[in-house]
Amino acid sequence: MATMRPGSHKLRAIMKLQFIHRSPVSAINVAKKLKNLEGVRIRKADKTAVYVLIPPREYTNKISDILSDDIKFQRITRNPVEDLKRKVNKTITAINAKRSSVHYGKLQGDYDLGYAYVNVKTHKPGNPLCPIISQIPTPTYDLAKRLNEFRILYTPSNYSLQSSADFLEIIKTTLPEGVIASLDFKSLYTNVPVDTTIEMILYRVYRNESTPELRHTRATLNEYSRDMYKGSSFHGNMYR
């Protein structure tokens, strides 16, 4: 069962939808009330303003299936946050010492594990869960945002669009000929090969004459990237 925003044109043919509430009360307020009911989990649907009610056993089984993939997730028994904080501070010291024009502040204060939550893919058979791992409380979060400022220099904008709305506007105005194909990936982010991706990033940054030189050494960026991409851990019996 799910509730959909009034006026939504999104078709969710896989899941039979029932409107729970049609009054001016917001869906969020309804969701808060339903959250207190026993025998139900309430989650947001993926890519649309729909809330989905899931039996707790089904929810738990689907979460367990995702985390049981030991190629993508590693169960850990010791909280790694303090070790990661010390490691990142060591990397920051190396950056600050080598390049005076780039300065990062040391990590101070308390940090925590990231946390995982899910959205429900109501547009796909079986209504699988889409795992999302938030790194906001972790030691690498603010530094990742800082590094993202440099990343923009190396992203080719002539082959990228900001949104699906931009794509639709191009189709309407240029009337291109040919076939348009859309590729879909199952669990895209958890299927990205991390080590290979880091090597591709390093190659793009340090062996491309068409882009400016990054104000970090290759070794520092390599270590820093591995701290962020491979050091991330999250709650849920602790996983990396």
Side-chain angles (χ1 to χ4, degrees):
M1 191 190 310
T3 178
M4 183 180 288
R5 68 168 181 258
S8 174
H9 63 280
K10 296 286 187 182
L11 178 62
R12 291 296 189 246
I14 303 301
M15 171 180 271
K16 184 178 179 182
L17 297 176
Q18 273 182 275
F19 287 99
I20 295 175
H21 214 289
R22 281 189 174 276
S23 76
V25 178
S26 72
I28 292 178
N29 289 334
V30 174
K32 288 179 179 178
K33 293 180 180 179
L34 291 170
K35 188 177 180 180
N36 296 324
L37 295 177
E38 292 186 6
V40 68
R41 288 291 186 94
I42 182 164
R43 298 306 316 166
K44 190 178 182 300
D46 192 40
K47 301 176 182 177
T48 186
V50 171
Y51 285 90
V52 182
L53 306 183
I54 313 175
R57 179 173 293 180
E58 178 183 348
Y59 179 84
T60 301
N61 289 341
K62 287 183 175 181
I63 288 284
S64 298
D65 286 343
I66 292 172
L67 295 177
S68 65
D69 188 342
D70 55 11
I71 295 177
K72 302 171 186 175
F73 300 103
Q74 177 189 4
R75 180 76 179 270
I76 55 178
T77 57
R78 182 172 177 270
N79 191 322
V81 168
E82 286 303 314
D83 288 342
L84 180 59
K85 179 180 174 182
R86 284 191 290 270
K87 194 172 188 300
V88 171
N89 274 333
K90 185 177 179 180
T91 304
I92 290 174
T93 299
I95 293 174
N96 293 342
K98 291 180 180 179
R99 299 280 180 164
S100 59
S101 60
V102 179
H103 185 273
Y104 292 87
K106 287 289 191 69
L107 301 183
Q108 297 180 348
D110 295 328
Y111 293 89
D112 201 351
L113 293 165
Y115 55 92
Y117 61 98
V118 297
N119 290 341
V120 184
K121 297 182 179 182
T122 56
H123 55 294
K124 293 192 175 183
N127 306 308
L129 303 183
C130 174
I132 303 169
I133 301 171
S134 174
Q135 293 294 305
I136 293 176
T138 67
T140 57
Y141 179 72
D142 288 331
L143 294 172
K145 290 198 299 182
R146 182 79 181 273
L147 191 63
N148 188 55
E149 297 172 6
F150 299 115
R151 178 199 60 82
I152 296 173
L153 299 173
Y154 302 92
T155 304
S157 59
N158 52 328
Y159 298 112
S160 303
L161 295 174
Q162 295 297 319
S163 66
S164 56
D166 289 348
F167 176 71
L168 292 175
E169 186 64 28
I170 292 173
I171 297 300
K172 291 177 182 177
T173 56
T174 61
L175 300 177
E177 296 180 356
V179 176
I180 297 175
S182 175
L183 301 180
D184 189 20
F185 293 87
K186 181 180 178 181
S187 302
L188 172 63
Y189 290 108
T190 55
N191 279 317
V192 171
V194 178
D195 290 320
T196 302
T197 302
I198 291 174
E199 289 301 320
M200 292 172 66
I201 291 171
L202 295 173
Y203 185 91
R204 170 76 176 164
V205 171
Y206 294 102
R207 301 190 66 178
N208 189 342
E209 296 180 356
S210 65
T211 51
E213 181 182 352
L214 187 64
R215 294 176 294 170
H216 293 301
T217 65
R218 189 184 192 282
T220 298
L221 181 61
N222 178 45
E223 184 175 358
Y224 190 23
S225 298
R226 294 182 188 280
D227 287 347
M228 288 189 299
Y229 297 133
K230 304 193 74 172
S232 301
S233 304
F234 57 96
H235 284 294
N237 293 326
M238 290 203 297
Y239 287 87
R240 175 180 288 114

